[in-house]
Amino acid sequence: MTQHLFLTEEHEMLRDQLRRFVAEKVQPHADQWEVDGAVPRDVLREMGALGFLGIRYPEEYGGSAMDTRATAVLAEELGRSTYAGFAITVLVHTDMASVHLFNAGSDAQKAAHMPGIISGDTITAVGVTEPDAGSDVKGIRTTARRDGDDFILNGAKMFITNGVHANLYCVAAKTDAQGPASQSVTMFLVEKGTPGFTVSRALDKHGWRSSDTAELAFDNCRIPAENMLGEEGRGFYSIMKNFQNERIVLGAMAMGEAQAALDLTLDYVKNRKAFGAPLWDKQAIRQRLAMLAARVAAARQFVYATAARDANGEEVTREVSMIKALCGELVNEVMYDCLQFHGGFGYMREATIERMTRDARVQAIGGGATEVMLEEVAKRL
């Protein structure tokens, strides 16, 4: 593989290792995970043993202390697997949930949980979204009331990836009912099995079928005050901070999905005959695929350029919001045309592109809907 402008040899070695793992351990088995609605724990532990779950975390916890570019490589290669439900199971754990603990947690909290997170023995979920609050984080209603040395949580969380099978949840709750929204949200660690905390139901999804998604309920759930992550009332800012990484991740994942779809469609149209010749001989088809390939290549470079800038400590909020909007829409355009060019077969459940098209739809919704992202960009123009 040619050396990527923004990547080192170490990044490319990581890519090769990930690609081998996906080919050997994921693709032969993941159809069953789609049926089961979850990725097996032993697969996640194997990823931990290979170092895939601790790419960004320090060596003292078992990580490899790489940078944002490595995360983009991880996300792109998992997206390329064609099983986005598997990809998001891993990426929520590595880059959307456990980051709350790592970025805001105390030394004691990190010492207690980070080694298990990196080994894959502890799987994490993040509870921010609620039935009435998604991209609008300030609208959350779950409350945490101080009671001596404890907090008592009440409320519900919705659409929580890894929600069924996680061991450790980073949960956002309002600790000040009267205060301004941006200063009244606090993050807490809640462990599976805590009295008053239940997985109220597993959710049945349009796509991402191999990821487990849940609705969570907190009914007078008592947790020790030492489970608070960071400072009281600072949760909104930590959520916003972590969104930056999440959106680069989702952009890279989407471009991995898009490239995989283009690759398999190219193979299909070169072999499928219609009117006595391969579909590739139709100018309309090959030009459409050529333009999509150009746009995916451009967006991919934008993702890696922004990841490199982020790794360099630059302020990239505008670019990250652009990436989330651009890649979330582009992957859906790619899937639409790739399914179209597969004809009737593309609509069948046995076709890889059928699953990929369903999986991609949420890329324009989750992690910040396109419309919300475009407002974030507009504010910064």
Side-chain angles (χ1 to χ4, degrees):
M1 184 180 289
T2 53
Q3 190 67 25
H4 194 293
L5 178 64
F6 300 107
L7 301 182
T8 66
E9 194 175 340
E10 187 182 20
H11 293 116
E12 296 294 3
M13 284 166 61
L14 172 65
R15 185 187 301 287
D16 291 344
Q17 195 184 9
L18 280 161
R19 202 167 285 189
R20 265 199 313 278
F21 179 84
V22 165
E24 293 170 13
K25 303 290 186 174
V26 178
Q27 286 166 335
H29 308 292
D31 281 345
Q32 186 59 47
W33 308 347
E34 292 277 304
V35 175
D36 297 340
V39 177
R41 278 309 186 77
D42 59 353
V43 173
L44 297 174
R45 278 192 287 267
E46 193 168 350
M47 293 188 77
L50 289 167
F52 297 146
L53 305 184
I55 286 173
R56 294 286 290 284
Y57 295 134
E59 292 171 12
E60 66 184 286
Y61 301 121
S64 48
M66 293 177 77
D67 62 19
T68 318
R69 295 172 296 171
T71 291
V73 170
L74 172 71
E76 185 186 8
E77 288 307 315
L78 296 186
R80 277 178 60 103
S81 74
T82 77
Y83 293 94
F86 155 71
I88 203 64
T89 296
V90 176
L91 295 170
V92 163
H93 173 67
T94 56
D95 283 277
M96 299 171 205
S98 61
V99 286
H100 285 278
L101 167 63
F102 181 72
N103 288 337
S106 65
D107 288 345
Q109 287 168 334
K110 289 191 277 194
H113 299 294
M114 288 306 300
I117 286 168
I118 290 168
S119 70
D121 291 309
T122 300
I123 298 301
T124 54
V126 57
V128 175
T129 303
E130 297 185 359
D132 295 313
S135 294
D136 177 17
V137 174
K138 291 179 182 177
I140 72 169
R141 295 182 183 175
T142 297
T143 60
R145 178 174 57 82
R146 186 84 189 221
D147 183 39
D149 291 336
D150 299 328
F151 279 92
I152 298 172
L153 268 64
N154 280 287
K157 297 293 176 181
M158 185 59 108
F159 313 132
I160 306 305
T161 300
N162 297 347
V164 180
H165 297 299
N167 314 93
L168 187 66
Y169 300 75
C170 301
V171 178
K174 281 204 164 150
T175 41
D176 179 3
Q178 312 307 319
S182 64
Q183 290 160 41
S184 59
V185 175
T186 306
M187 296 296 294
F188 295 91
L189 284 176
V190 183
E191 294 184 50
K192 181 66 121 322
T194 303
F197 166 43
T198 51
V199 175
S200 29
R201 63 190 173 115
L203 301 171
D204 192 13
K205 303 189 297 298
H206 175 57
W208 281 4
R209 305 284 300 176
S210 48
S211 85
D212 62 290
T213 308
E215 182 178 359
L216 312 177
F218 301 91
D219 182 10
N220 290 322
C221 174
R222 183 179 289 271
I223 57 169
E226 64 197 37
N227 281 29
M228 185 166 69
L229 277 175
E231 295 174 45
E232 188 170 334
R234 296 291 298 173
F236 176 77
Y237 299 101
S238 76
I239 292 165
M240 291 299 113
K241 176 186 175 184
N242 291 331
F243 270 155
Q244 298 310 298
N245 187 64
E246 180 172 334
R247 288 163 183 166
I248 289 179
V249 166
L250 291 169
M253 176 182 164
M255 291 305 90
E257 293 171 60
Q259 189 60 56
L262 288 170
D263 290 346
L264 69 92
T265 304
L266 189 60
D267 184 59
Y268 186 82
V269 299
K270 285 188 172 182
N271 289 294
R272 172 84 166 96
K273 285 193 167 59
F275 305 103
L279 287 173
W280 180 248
D281 285 2
K282 308 290 180 241
Q283 186 182 45
I285 288 177
R286 64 176 185 258
Q287 289 199 355
R288 182 65 183 153
L289 288 172
M291 179 54 88
L292 288 171
R295 291 171 64 199
V296 168
R300 180 174 182 264
Q301 292 296 315
F302 186 22
V303 169
Y304 278 105
T306 304
R309 288 180 60 195
D310 184 65
N312 214 24
E314 293 182 44
E315 164 59 45
V316 290
T317 303
R318 184 182 73 166
E319 288 76 8
V320 165
S321 302
M322 286 176 169
I323 282 169
K324 179 62 184 62
L326 177 70
C327 296
E329 295 296 320
L330 177 55
V331 70
N332 277 286
E333 278 190 64
V334 169
M335 295 304 170
Y336 187 96
D337 283 345
C338 286
L339 192 150
Q340 180 76 12
F341 296 157
H342 275 75
F345 175 63
Y347 200 61
M348 297 299 112
R349 277 290 173 109
E350 65 189 273
T352 301
I353 197 66
E354 184 273 339
R355 180 186 69 249
M356 294 181 73
T357 301
R358 281 185 288 111
D359 284 346
R361 185 61 189 86
V362 76
Q363 291 280 19
I365 300 169
T370 299
E371 295 77 10
V372 177
M373 293 297 90
L374 292 175
E375 286 302 307
E376 289 300 315
V377 174
K379 277 189 261 183
R380 293 167 173 83
L381 289 180

